[in-house]
């Protein structure tokens, strides 16, 4: 059992307890334990097997340790099953709809007999919900919208969730008999923020044993289908994993094809047609004389592509043709020998001259065939990458290794679970040059926001840690709230004394767009501000973004010289790739921050970097890819 699955079970218990209106401290105990498990970089199952003491983990007491052990050992949790018998299953789903919550879910159930999302929709449409005391027309309309949102996101999984489930499958598949290549394709490889199904691709000469090995994966709840070259299994959380097995000579073409996106593939295929090539999941083919003429005719009719074909293109076409002849020659020389051992050695005349294979074993073959540079998977969305690759002008995307520090992390001083010292040491271990401690400001009382006098004490602690842990700079920062009127939740004399000021909206998220936009722009206009954190406030699959004119905010950030965050938390990824791309166009620096609330969260940096790559960001676009000295200068200039 994987960490995400354990966390999911613990969260389910918390949901059901909440529905039963039980002690909120109990509910929180399950949620905190779930968060701990989800945030661990190690597999809890391994810790249990190794007999390690789970109680040493934060937020894991005796009961939680026992529940986790039970889950790992039996795959079940009796406590959850008991609760499920007492509370209708669908209600837990219902309570997660925006604007419903546990109390309303229970009342809907008791007063209207609603126990599923579908029931609720029916009841709203029948006008029953708006007549309930405390609900009203507007809240019914909001629930309807929430149902639509839920349906839209419902079946998609967070990338981090997929990662945890996919890694053990890959480990299992590497032992499949005769497997030569293995990769996850699809939106997972493009690092899209959420994914539907997982598309696994393998290359092997004999697909049968690979399929069998896949179908025997112990983590699957069922095998949905299994054919000669393709199979689908379903995991505990409902995620479908498809496996396709291709021949090694088709590996690259298949990997390109199944990585997508569809729009990207269509463009590449079209480029192929213009050059008389056929590109599909099996390889790259040149039509033989008769078919080839037809293909070129199509291209010419289509977009005049052949008239653009310059001398260089003709030259490369000739080169390719002779390469094709060599390939064809080799194939011809090989085939008869193996097929007819005692037969003639000359190639037999082919009745229908088929297409000639030019390549396809490597993904690079596909791009090379149409004159493109290799496009990193994260960019394959038809957002101009095909054209850029043809012009040999693809950006050099930022990598995880380029990141030199983390500019938003929390500690036990507010709602973090690890001490400043632990966070700093962990950052140093990652090879960072700097880390900013940015606990919450007073307005976020629930998250233990610091008042100015706490801040003064915290700085002493930061100084102490900085003296103790050498080789990494510790910046004094704060995640300061942008209050409803756009003012900042910390007096100016304190803001001035911070090394770095990160600002964010955490309250009154439902404001209309113009008000929210004014609020945020006013917030970042304060001269003390360096970074706007998680600008839209969205939580993937849970909370819609606030209504914000992002273009206006990004333009303001460009003018003010304020950086904008890609929050790397896998359920935030805020700003998203599209907004980050716009930021890049406007020359706004992006800070990729983990917003870590524990040492384990620091590894989320990889998710932020993936989104930055999807946004075409280079090292120079990323604030925390700067070396410390330059960062310090940048921070000081804002003052
Ligand atoms: Zn925040």
């Amino acid at each position: 059992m994987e960490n995400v699955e354990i966390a999911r079970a613990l969260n389910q218990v918390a949901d059901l307890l909440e529905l039963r209106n039980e002690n909120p401290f109990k509910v929180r105990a399950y949620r905190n334990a779930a968060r701990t498990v989800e945030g661990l970089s190690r597999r809890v199952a391994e810790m249990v097997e190794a007999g390690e003491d789970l109680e040493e983990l934060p937020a894991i007491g005796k009961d939680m340790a026992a529940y986790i052990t039970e889950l790992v050992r039996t795959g079940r949790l009796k406590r959850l099953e008991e609760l499920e018998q007492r509370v209708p299953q669908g209600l837990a789903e219902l309570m997660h709809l925006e604007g419903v919550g546990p109390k309303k879910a229970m009342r809907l159930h008791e007063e209207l007999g609603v126990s599923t999302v579908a029931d609720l929709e029916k009841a709203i449409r029948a006008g029953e919900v708006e007549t309930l005391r405390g609900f009203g027309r507007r809240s019914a309309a909001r629930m309807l919208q929430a149902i639509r949102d839920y349906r839209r996101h419902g079946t998609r999984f967070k990338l981090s969730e997929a990662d945890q489930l996919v890694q053990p499958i890959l480990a299992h598949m590497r032992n499949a008999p005769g497997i030569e290549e293995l990769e996850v394709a699809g939106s997972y490889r493009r690092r899209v923020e959420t994914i539907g199904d997982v598309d696994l691709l393998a290359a092997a000469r004999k697909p049968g044993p690979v399929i069998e090995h896949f179908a025997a994966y112990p983590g699957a709840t069922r095998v949905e289908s299994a054919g000669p070259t393709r199979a689908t299994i379903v995991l505990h959380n409902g995620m479908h994993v498809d496996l396709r097995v291709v021949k090694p000579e088709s590996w690259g073409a298949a990997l390109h094809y199944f990585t997508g996106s569809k729009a990207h593939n269509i463009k590449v295929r079209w480029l192929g047609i213009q050059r008389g090539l056929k590109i599909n999941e099996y390889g790259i083919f040149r039509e033989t004389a008769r078919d080839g003429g037809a293909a070129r005719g199509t291209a010419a009719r289509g977009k005049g592509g052949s008239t653009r074909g310059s001398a260089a293109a003709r030259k490369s076409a000739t080169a390719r043709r002779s390469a094709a002849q060599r390939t064809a020659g080799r194939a011809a020389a090989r085939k008869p020998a193996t097929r007819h051992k005692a037969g003639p050695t000359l190639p037999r005349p082919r009745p229908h001259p088929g297409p000639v294979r030019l390549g396809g074993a490597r993904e690079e073959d596909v791009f090379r065939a149409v004159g493109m540079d290799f496009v990193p998977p994260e960019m394959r969305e038809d957002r101009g990458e095909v054209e850029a690759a043809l012009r040999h002008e693809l950006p050099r995307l930022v990598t995880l290794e380029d990141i030199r520090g983390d500019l938003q992390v929390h500690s036990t001083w507010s709602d973090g679970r690890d001490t400043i010292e632990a966070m700093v040491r962990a950052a140093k271990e990652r090879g960072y040059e700097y880390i900013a401690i940015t606990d919450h400001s007073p307005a976020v009382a629930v998250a233990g926001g610091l008042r100015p006098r706490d801040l003064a004490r915290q700085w002493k602690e930061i100084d102490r840690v900085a003296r103790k842990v050498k080789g990494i700079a510790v910046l004094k920062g704060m995640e300061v709230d942008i209050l409803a009127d756009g003012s900042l939740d910390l007096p100016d004399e304190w803001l001035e004394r911070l090394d770095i000021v990160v600002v964010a909206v955490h309250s009154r998220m439902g404001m209309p767009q113009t008000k929210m936009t004014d609020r945020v722009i006013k917030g970042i206009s304060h001269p003390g501000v360096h970074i706007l954190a998680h600008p839209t406030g969205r939580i993937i699959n849970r909370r819609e973004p606030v209504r914000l004119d992002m273009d206006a905010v990004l333009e303001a950030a460009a003018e003010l010289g304020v950086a904008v965050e890609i929050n790397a938390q896998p359920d935030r990824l805020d700003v998203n790739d599209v907004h980050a791309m716009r930021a890049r166009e406007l020359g706004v620096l992006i800070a990729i921050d983990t917003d870590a609330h524990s040492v384990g969260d620091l590894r989320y940096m990889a998710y932020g970097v993936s989104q930055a790559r999807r946004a075409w960001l280079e090292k120079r676009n990323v604030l925390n890819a700067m070396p410390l000295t330059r960062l310090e200068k940048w921070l000081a200039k804002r003052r």
Side-chain angles (χ1 to χ4, degrees), residues 321-333:
R321 215 166 301 141
S322 63
Q325 277 154 2
R326 279 198 301 278
T327 315
R330 271 203 302 277

PDB file of all heavy atoms in Angstrom, residues 321-333:
ATOM      1  N   ARG A 321      16.511   9.707 -48.805  1.00  0.00           N
ATOM      2  CA  ARG A 321      16.164   8.639 -49.704  1.00  0.00           C
ATOM      3  C   ARG A 321      17.285   7.591 -49.763  1.00  0.00           C
ATOM      4  O   ARG A 321      17.042   6.400 -49.723  1.00  0.00           O
ATOM      5  CB  ARG A 321      15.861   9.195 -51.109  1.00  0.00           C
ATOM      6  CG  ARG A 321      14.759   8.434 -51.803  1.00  0.00           C
ATOM      7  CD  ARG A 321      14.263   9.196 -53.010  1.00  0.00           C
ATOM      8  NE  ARG A 321      13.768  10.512 -52.634  1.00  0.00           N
ATOM      9  CZ  ARG A 321      13.964  11.612 -53.356  1.00  0.00           C
ATOM     10  NH1 ARG A 321      14.647  11.574 -54.456  1.00  0.00           N
ATOM     11  NH2 ARG A 321      13.481  12.765 -52.967  1.00  0.00           N
ATOM     12  N   SER A 322      18.513   8.097 -49.813  1.00  0.00           N
ATOM     13  CA  SER A 322      19.587   7.114 -49.917  1.00  0.00           C
ATOM     14  C   SER A 322      19.714   6.332 -48.611  1.00  0.00           C
ATOM     15  O   SER A 322      19.994   5.141 -48.617  1.00  0.00           O
ATOM     16  CB  SER A 322      20.905   7.795 -50.284  1.00  0.00           C
ATOM     17  OG  SER A 322      21.271   8.678 -49.270  1.00  0.00           O
ATOM     18  N   ALA A 323      19.416   7.017 -47.496  1.00  0.00           N
ATOM     19  CA  ALA A 323      19.406   6.296 -46.213  1.00  0.00           C
ATOM     20  C   ALA A 323      18.328   5.222 -46.246  1.00  0.00           C
ATOM     21  O   ALA A 323      18.523   4.097 -45.817  1.00  0.00           O
ATOM     22  CB  ALA A 323      19.141   7.269 -45.072  1.00  0.00           C
ATOM     23  N   ALA A 324      17.194   5.618 -46.838  1.00  0.00           N
ATOM     24  CA  ALA A 324      16.082   4.673 -46.927  1.00  0.00           C
ATOM     25  C   ALA A 324      16.466   3.475 -47.781  1.00  0.00           C
ATOM     26  O   ALA A 324      16.149   2.339 -47.460  1.00  0.00           O
ATOM     27  CB  ALA A 324      14.867   5.375 -47.532  1.00  0.00           C
ATOM     28  N   GLN A 325      17.198   3.790 -48.860  1.00  0.00           N
ATOM     29  CA  GLN A 325      17.598   2.686 -49.737  1.00  0.00           C
ATOM     30  C   GLN A 325      18.532   1.728 -49.009  1.00  0.00           C
ATOM     31  O   GLN A 325      18.407   0.523 -49.129  1.00  0.00           O
ATOM     32  CB  GLN A 325      18.294   3.237 -50.992  1.00  0.00           C
ATOM     33  CG  GLN A 325      17.274   3.677 -52.041  1.00  0.00           C
ATOM     34  CD  GLN A 325      17.813   4.743 -52.965  1.00  0.00           C
ATOM     35  OE1 GLN A 325      18.970   5.130 -52.854  1.00  0.00           O
ATOM     36  NE2 GLN A 325      16.978   5.210 -53.866  1.00  0.00           N
ATOM     37  N   ARG A 326      19.412   2.352 -48.193  1.00  0.00           N
ATOM     38  CA  ARG A 326      20.319   1.488 -47.422  1.00  0.00           C
ATOM     39  C   ARG A 326      19.521   0.602 -46.470  1.00  0.00           C
ATOM     40  O   ARG A 326      19.701  -0.588 -46.401  1.00  0.00           O
ATOM     41  CB  ARG A 326      21.309   2.336 -46.609  1.00  0.00           C
ATOM     42  CG  ARG A 326      22.489   2.831 -47.436  1.00  0.00           C
ATOM     43  CD  ARG A 326      23.613   3.257 -46.514  1.00  0.00           C
ATOM     44  NE  ARG A 326      23.231   4.311 -45.578  1.00  0.00           N
ATOM     45  CZ  ARG A 326      23.209   5.612 -45.905  1.00  0.00           C
ATOM     46  NH1 ARG A 326      23.513   6.000 -47.131  1.00  0.00           N
ATOM     47  NH2 ARG A 326      22.876   6.510 -45.009  1.00  0.00           N
ATOM     48  N   THR A 327      18.556   1.256 -45.750  1.00  0.00           N
ATOM     49  CA  THR A 327      17.739   0.504 -44.803  1.00  0.00           C
ATOM     50  C   THR A 327      16.994  -0.608 -45.523  1.00  0.00           C
ATOM     51  O   THR A 327      16.982  -1.758 -45.095  1.00  0.00           O
ATOM     52  CB  THR A 327      16.709   1.423 -44.130  1.00  0.00           C
ATOM     53  OG1 THR A 327      17.376   2.613 -43.765  1.00  0.00           O
ATOM     54  CG2 THR A 327      16.087   0.769 -42.929  1.00  0.00           C
ATOM     55  N   ALA A 328      16.385  -0.214 -46.638  1.00  0.00           N
ATOM     56  CA  ALA A 328      15.609  -1.185 -47.400  1.00  0.00           C
ATOM     57  C   ALA A 328      16.508  -2.325 -47.862  1.00  0.00           C
ATOM     58  O   ALA A 328      16.142  -3.501 -47.810  1.00  0.00           O
ATOM     59  CB  ALA A 328      14.956  -0.505 -48.605  1.00  0.00           C
ATOM     60  N   GLY A 329      17.708  -1.952 -48.293  1.00  0.00           N
ATOM     61  CA  GLY A 329      18.657  -2.950 -48.769  1.00  0.00           C
ATOM     62  C   GLY A 329      19.006  -3.947 -47.680  1.00  0.00           C
ATOM     63  O   GLY A 329      18.991  -5.153 -47.912  1.00  0.00           O
ATOM     64  N   ARG A 330      19.255  -3.374 -46.468  1.00  0.00           N
ATOM     65  CA  ARG A 330      19.592  -4.260 -45.347  1.00  0.00           C
ATOM     66  C   ARG A 330      18.447  -5.208 -45.049  1.00  0.00           C
ATOM     67  O   ARG A 330      18.619  -6.397 -44.881  1.00  0.00           O
ATOM     68  CB  ARG A 330      19.911  -3.432 -44.098  1.00  0.00           C
ATOM     69  CG  ARG A 330      21.358  -3.054 -43.979  1.00  0.00           C
ATOM     70  CD  ARG A 330      21.698  -2.758 -42.533  1.00  0.00           C
ATOM     71  NE  ARG A 330      20.874  -1.690 -41.968  1.00  0.00           N
ATOM     72  CZ  ARG A 330      21.130  -0.385 -42.129  1.00  0.00           C
ATOM     73  NH1 ARG A 330      22.174  -0.007 -42.835  1.00  0.00           N
ATOM     74  NH2 ARG A 330      20.353   0.525 -41.590  1.00  0.00           N
ATOM     75  N   ALA A 331      17.245  -4.635 -45.008  1.00  0.00           N
ATOM     76  CA  ALA A 331      16.074  -5.446 -44.679  1.00  0.00           C
ATOM     77  C   ALA A 331      15.902  -6.556 -45.703  1.00  0.00           C
ATOM     78  O   ALA A 331      15.639  -7.701 -45.366  1.00  0.00           O
ATOM     79  CB  ALA A 331      14.830  -4.554 -44.649  1.00  0.00           C
ATOM     80  N   ALA A 332      16.106  -6.173 -46.976  1.00  0.00           N
ATOM     81  CA  ALA A 332      15.923  -7.147 -48.047  1.00  0.00           C
ATOM     82  C   ALA A 332      16.959  -8.259 -47.937  1.00  0.00           C
ATOM     83  O   ALA A 332      16.651  -9.424 -48.137  1.00  0.00           O
ATOM     84  CB  ALA A 332      16.042  -6.452 -49.399  1.00  0.00           C
ATOM     85  N   ALA A 333      18.181  -7.871 -47.564  1.00  0.00           N
ATOM     86  CA  ALA A 333      19.228  -8.869 -47.473  1.00  0.00           C
ATOM     87  C   ALA A 333      18.986  -9.828 -46.313  1.00  0.00           C
ATOM     88  O   ALA A 333      19.360 -10.978 -46.366  1.00  0.00           O
ATOM     89  CB  ALA A 333      20.579  -8.178 -47.287  1.00  0.00           C
TER      90      ALA A 333
END
